[in-house]
Amino acid sequence: MSSIQRIATVYKKDVYWVLGNFKLLGIMLMPILFIIFFSQTGKGALFSFIMVFINAFIGIFSTSYLIIEEKNKGTLLSLLTTPLKSFELLLAKFFFNLTLCLLISLLAIVVNSRLDLLVSPYALINLALYAGLTCFVGCVVGMFFKNEQEMSIVAPILMFFFIFGDIVAKTASGSAYFPFFPDYHITQVIKNPMSLDANYMPHTFFNLLYFLIALVSATLYTQFYFSNNRETRVSKTLIGMIGFFTLALMVSALINKDESRQRLDPQGRVSQRFVSKYWSGRFEFDGNLWEMQKILDTTARSVFVMHPSKQVQQNKSGRPEGIEMSIALRPAEKEESTKLKRYQLFRKDPRRELLSYETIQHKTHEFQKFIYFHEEKLIILLESFCSEQLLQISLDVESKGLTSLQTYWMHLQNLLDNQHFTCSRN
Amino acid sequence: MLEKVVEVQGLSKSYGDFKALDCLDFFIRKGECLGLLGSNGAGKSTTIRILIGQLKPSQGRVQVMGFDPSLDPKSVHPFIGYTPDTQALYDEFTVEQNIIIFCELYGKRDGLTDKIIQQVQLEDKRKEKVKNLSKGLRQRVLLARALVHEPKIVILDEPTSGLDPNSAETIYRILEDLKNAGATILLTTHLMNDVDRLCDRIIFINKGVKVEEGTPFELKRKYSDDKIEVCYELGGQTLTESLVQGADFLPRLQQLEEQGQILSIHSHEVKLEDIFIHLVGGGES
């Protein structure tokens, strides 16, 4: 009998077991309630949060619960007195929970009318990698803890890092010890594809890397856990783990030596350096001269440029209402191919209704001008490639009725067509 | 001499300073039923866990069908059918489903399930969910699960612990059938009557050390005190006197008969319980 057949047997057993055990079934399907409560969240950040939450919950909490339940029954060890190998058991549990993660994620996608995600390979790949990663973490947690009580304390803490890890990592990135913390990539990379932000595609590599690390770690831990010589190996494993983390922290501290004082994530650091060196902006709009104000937000990936003005009223949170301008600086690989990719992305993206595209020249810069609707907003985006950097200027127009939209449209057309803004290097 | 299917030499297992097993030696011959007896914590389950490869010994050598389970547990699993001391079953599954899972993991044909269910006399319960079964019936499901791959050695950890006499009787009848069919059985228990009936040989262990070994008959003879109880009536009173077999026995019996009326003469047979208490001291180790 092959490995695959044995894995399939345990997988099938788990399906029937969970279907027949209402307690387990309840825990496994609990995220469905969450989906129902937060249905029709649309395309905003809440949807990304739901997707991350669902997978963290099933992957970490449900997986570990399933393993602990079976461990306490004693059936786990009984299974291993058959030809079933420990890594086959791990894979069976992994695939079962991964299937559940993906099915419930699919439900969330359908309920929230986000079928466009199904045609976005990066979104799906990152979703699967993230779900797989959490499932492996859940397997290790399930084997590590003796009972549900112990697990119930630790699993939510882990879930917190897997849900809000990007915020934690960004906040803690000023510390010399935390830049190593990988959750920035794990969570951010799932959240961004959920918003179909193509600029984070290269970070899929990190998700793949963490997934592979989790796969190897979970396999090794499973073999260690079910080995017959655990007591003597425990000390070696502990020494190994302490050594590994010490080394990782040292490497991390070394890499981040120069920037340890800057409380910014890696991308933020690049943006900060670039903006403070080269960029300032000023433009005319609606008969007024607008000064761009650099705001370095430690929790933002890009550098936002705001424009305080007597005409702009501030809302409750103190942010100016009305037109918002942002500059994002991101590395461009090769100018021509990137230009083409950007155009294709805009054209194919079902969520972006591309109204017009053209190349315009402004002083020394050549801009790609995209005018499109996105999330009920009219966006005018100018992109330019210079010195291997992609420079973006975008104007978002909040939809406040047709009249307002038309008004803004007119002003923006005027602004762009007459090139009343200036972008200059310091 | 039948071949030895299990051979244990100088087996020790320590957890820090605590010695769970200390230099244990024994063997099991093919087709033999060996009883491993000891109080709770004596080291019975530890020995079994080493034999099935779940634990690695601190010292000593173990061979099961010529393989060392501590080095390669998977090499001995095809030969061993094991029932743990806990009722590790999927409660939500039927009897049949519980057995089929293990049949599939061993890559066995479907027809085997019927045979096994018949063997453990659960034909009328095959569609019943395990959670609705009594402890005795659950124990039979466990036994069935251990037999799905027709193992050469059946290892049972406390198979009748907590069962009512009827359920225990059924289990032992099944085990007798197995034994008659030529299976080698290793049994741990602290219920002596069943051992007396089923086991060819017995090993008593206490605090991880083997304290006695032999056939039930040999052990009973060895620990017999050769006493005969004589109950007689003298002066309207019923009295009992224990006499030791030997030169003085017949004259004393004659003397009692002359003094009064002998009511009964009983030989005092040593039971395995008595030997157990004598060797182990009756308390938990």
Side-chain angles (χ1 to χ4, degrees):
Chain A
M1 194 187 195
S2 71
S3 255
I4 294 169
Q5 282 170 310
R6 284 192 292 267
I7 291 169
T9 301
V10 178
Y11 182 96
K12 194 172 73 179
K13 184 269 299 171
D14 277 343
V15 173
Y16 286 121
W17 187 39
V18 169
L19 288 176
N21 186 324
F22 292 119
K23 191 172 84 174
L24 277 175
L25 190 65
I27 288 170
M28 295 280 168
L29 300 183
M30 205 178 279
I32 291 180
L33 282 179
F34 200 73
I35 295 171
I36 294 167
F37 290 149
F38 294 96
S39 59
Q40 294 304 318
T41 51
K43 300 159 185 177
L46 187 57
F47 175 74
S48 307
F49 168 76
I50 289 169
M51 296 299 280
V52 167
F53 176 83
I54 289 168
N55 288 285
F57 185 89
I58 299 171
I60 297 174
F61 194 84
S62 304
T63 308
S64 53
Y65 196 90
L66 187 76
I67 290 175
I68 285 176
E69 185 82 356
E70 188 150 15
K71 203 166 69 173
N72 289 348
K73 270 176 163 300
T75 46
L76 210 59
L77 282 177
S78 297
L79 288 174
L80 288 169
T81 57
T82 68
L84 184 77
K85 294 181 179 73
S86 57
F87 81 89
E88 292 168 351
L89 181 74
L90 171 78
L91 287 182
K93 297 279 173 202
F94 165 77
F95 283 124
F96 172 73
N97 286 284
L98 182 69
T99 310
L100 201 65
C101 279
L102 296 180
L103 282 177
I104 293 184
S105 296
L106 182 67
L107 181 71
I109 286 170
V110 172
V111 167
N112 288 288
S113 313
R114 286 297 310 272
L115 295 175
D116 53 286
L117 282 174
L118 301 177
V119 293
S120 166
Y122 278 97
L124 295 178
I125 287 169
N126 279 311
L127 179 67
L129 288 175
Y130 178 75
L133 176 69
T134 56
C135 288
F136 277 129
V137 172
C139 287
V140 173
V141 170
M143 279 181 276
F144 189 83
F145 292 101
K146 280 181 189 161
N147 50 46
E148 287 96 340
Q149 286 81 11
E150 284 183 8
M151 181 276 287
S152 304
I153 295 168
V154 177
I157 297 171
L158 278 173
M159 278 168 60
F160 173 82
F161 283 107
F162 274 81
I163 296 167
F164 300 108
D166 52 338
I167 298 165
V168 176
K170 280 175 212 162
T171 311
S173 63
S175 147
Y177 304 105
F178 276 94
F180 176 73
F181 194 69
D183 226 48
Y184 174 80
H185 297 115
I186 296 169
T187 317
Q188 195 64 33
V189 171
I190 181 77
K191 281 181 178 170
N192 282 292
M194 290 300 111
S195 308
L196 270 185
D197 188 340
N199 290 308
Y200 293 104
M201 281 177 191
H203 286 256
T204 303
F205 165 76
F206 286 105
N207 257 10
L208 181 64
L209 184 69
Y210 296 132
F211 172 80
L212 292 174
I213 290 171
L215 166 69
V216 172
S217 306
T219 309
L220 289 176
Y221 185 76
T222 308
Q223 288 194 333
F224 160 71
Y225 180 78
F226 290 112
S227 73
N228 56 15
N229 198 17
R230 212 174 349 151
E231 309 89 54
T232 50
R233 282 196 206 167
V234 117
S235 55
K236 287 178 190 169
T237 309
L238 268 178
I239 292 167
M241 282 173 75
I242 291 168
F244 173 74
F245 282 110
T246 310
L247 189 70
L249 288 176
M250 281 168 66
V251 170
S252 165
L254 201 67
I255 291 169
N256 293 281
K257 195 173 65 178
D258 297 337
E259 299 179 44
S260 60
R261 287 183 186 179
Q262 297 177 9
R263 300 188 64 79
L264 283 171
D265 58 73
Q267 200 158 358
R269 287 185 209 120
V270 176
S271 306
Q272 184 200 39
R273 207 164 45 226
F274 192 84
V275 167
S276 55
K277 274 184 184 171
Y278 303 116
W279 275 87
S280 67
R282 178 177 295 195
F283 66 94
E284 274 182 34
F285 176 66
D286 207 14
N288 295 298
L289 184 67
W290 298 68
E291 277 198 18
M292 290 191 277
Q293 182 190 5
K294 293 190 202 88
I295 296 174
L296 278 172
D297 189 345
T298 56
T299 62
R301 301 182 67 84
S302 55
V303 179
F304 285 91
V305 181
M306 306 297 296
H307 42 83
S309 167
K310 56 187 177 184
Q311 284 95 345
V312 177
Q313 291 181 347
Q314 291 196 335
N315 63 15
K316 284 178 188 171
S317 61
R319 288 174 71 88
E321 280 185 329
I323 303 165
E324 187 173 304
M325 190 175 194
S326 70
I327 296 177
L329 308 165
R330 295 192 182 109
E333 297 132 14
K334 287 178 186 172
E335 290 186 9
E336 283 310 310
S337 64
T338 310
K339 269 184 194 175
L340 186 66
K341 275 183 197 169
R342 297 288 294 162
Y343 171 68
Q344 285 173 341
L345 181 79
F346 273 84
R347 201 165 56 88
K348 288 179 182 172
D349 188 344
R351 295 173 57 229
R352 289 170 170 163
E353 190 187 343
L354 186 61
L355 300 173
S356 76
Y357 166 76
E358 63 181 308
T359 305
I360 57 169
Q361 189 71 31
H362 174 67
K363 297 190 177 170
T364 55
H365 297 302
E366 184 187 74
F367 284 91
Q368 282 181 291
K369 185 175 106 180
F370 300 92
I371 301 175
Y372 61 97
F373 275 110
H374 181 227
E375 293 185 10
E376 297 173 358
K377 285 179 184 174
L378 183 70
I379 311 282
I380 298 166
L381 175 71
L382 296 183
E383 289 187 349
S384 178
F385 300 90
C386 65
S387 308
E388 296 183 340
Q389 295 290 326
L390 170 65
L391 314 178
Q392 291 181 317
I393 298 174
S394 68
L395 297 168
D396 305 352
V397 181
E398 293 264 350
S399 172
K400 291 174 183 169
L402 190 63
T403 314
S404 172
L405 192 68
Q406 278 180 330
T407 314
Y408 277 121
W409 171 244
M410 200 169 65
H411 286 315
L412 288 166
Q413 284 278 28
N414 185 47
L415 168 70
L416 289 164
D417 293 344
N418 297 309
Q419 300 173 19
H420 281 163
F421 68 97
T422 60
C423 289
S424 61
R425 285 170 183 276
N426 283 347
Chain B
M1 180 70 75
L2 289 168
E3 67 170 298
K4 292 172 184 172
V5 288
V6 175
E7 212 170 350
V8 173
Q9 287 175 341
L11 183 66
S12 298
K13 179 70 190 173
S14 304
Y15 297 99
D17 293 334
F18 174 69
K19 275 199 163 183
L21 290 176
D22 192 4
C23 215
L24 190 66
D25 295 300
F26 70 90
F27 61 86
I28 313 174
R29 290 194 192 94
K30 190 179 177 184
E32 191 179 32
C33 178
L34 178 77
L36 204 56
L37 309 187
S39 52
N40 294 333
K44 305 185 297 286
S45 296
T46 305
T47 309
I48 285 186
R49 289 184 67 195
I50 290 173
L51 288 178
I52 63 171
Q54 276 185 4
L55 273 181
K56 195 162 190 159
S58 307
Q59 273 182 329
R61 182 173 160 267
V62 180
Q63 293 271 299
V64 177
M65 299 297 290
F67 295 97
D68 186 344
S70 61
L71 294 178
D72 185 10
K74 288 291 165 198
S75 62
V76 300
H77 287 165
F79 304 109
I80 292 176
Y82 164 63
T83 66
D85 54 348
T86 53
Q87 296 203 318
L89 291 165
Y90 296 103
D91 291 345
E92 298 77 13
F93 289 176
T94 62
V95 170
E96 196 176 35
Q97 283 172 324
N98 263 288
I99 297 167
I100 285 174
I101 294 164
F102 280 75
C103 277
E104 286 184 0
L105 285 172
Y106 279 106
K108 295 286 176 181
R109 63 190 187 279
D110 291 344
L112 191 70
T113 315
D114 299 332
K115 188 185 153 195
I116 299 288
I117 287 175
Q118 202 178 358
Q119 198 174 354
V120 296
Q121 301 162 25
L122 282 171
E123 295 97 320
D124 54 335
K125 301 283 181 190
R126 63 185 301 155
K127 299 287 179 195
E128 193 93 45
K129 283 196 173 172
V130 166
K131 66 181 171 191
N132 300 328
L133 299 183
S134 67
K135 201 174 177 187
L137 293 172
R138 290 163 67 94
Q139 193 63 39
R140 278 194 257 169
V141 181
L142 268 181
L143 188 57
R145 218 177 60 181
L147 300 176
V148 291
H149 57 300
E150 298 166 314
K152 288 192 165 54
I153 305 165
V154 182
I155 298 179
L156 305 117
D157 199 355
E158 312 263 3
T160 53
S161 175
L163 299 192
D164 62 70
N166 278 339
S167 303
E169 173 63 23
T170 314
I171 294 284
Y172 276 102
R173 257 191 279 130
I174 295 166
L175 292 180
E176 273 177 341
D177 290 345
L178 265 176
K179 191 184 160 191
N180 293 336
T184 306
I185 299 173
L186 171 64
L187 182 74
T188 74
T189 185
H190 44 252
L191 301 172
M192 303 299 148
N193 287 341
D194 306 322
V195 174
D196 201 359
R197 175 178 151 187
L198 196 70
C199 294
D200 300 314
R201 249 175 348 111
I202 300 168
I203 291 173
F204 283 98
I205 55 173
N206 186 28
K207 296 179 182 173
V209 180
K210 184 169 79 176
V211 287
E212 193 54 274
E213 181 180 1
T215 65
F217 181 71
E218 283 169 355
L219 292 172
K220 281 180 197 169
R221 273 197 61 181
K222 184 175 174 183
Y223 287 90
S224 164
D225 50 9
D226 292 337
K227 281 182 181 170
I228 291 179
E229 280 185 358
V230 181
C231 187
Y232 61 98
E233 198 177 80
L234 183 65
Q237 283 186 309
T238 305
L239 301 168
T240 307
E241 189 172 327
S242 290
L243 302 178
V244 179
Q245 286 188 48
D248 297 339
F249 174 70
L250 279 175
R252 177 62 186 152
L253 195 64
Q254 211 167 6
Q255 198 181 4
L256 288 174
E257 199 176 26
E258 285 165 5
Q259 286 175 353
Q261 191 190 352
I262 291 179
L263 300 173
S264 63
I265 302 172
H266 291 289
S267 63
H268 182 259
E269 192 188 35
V270 177
K271 292 175 184 168
L272 285 174
E273 275 98 335
D274 301 328
I275 303 172
F276 180 83
I277 292 166
H278 172 75
L279 292 170
V280 174
E284 271 192 23
S285 49

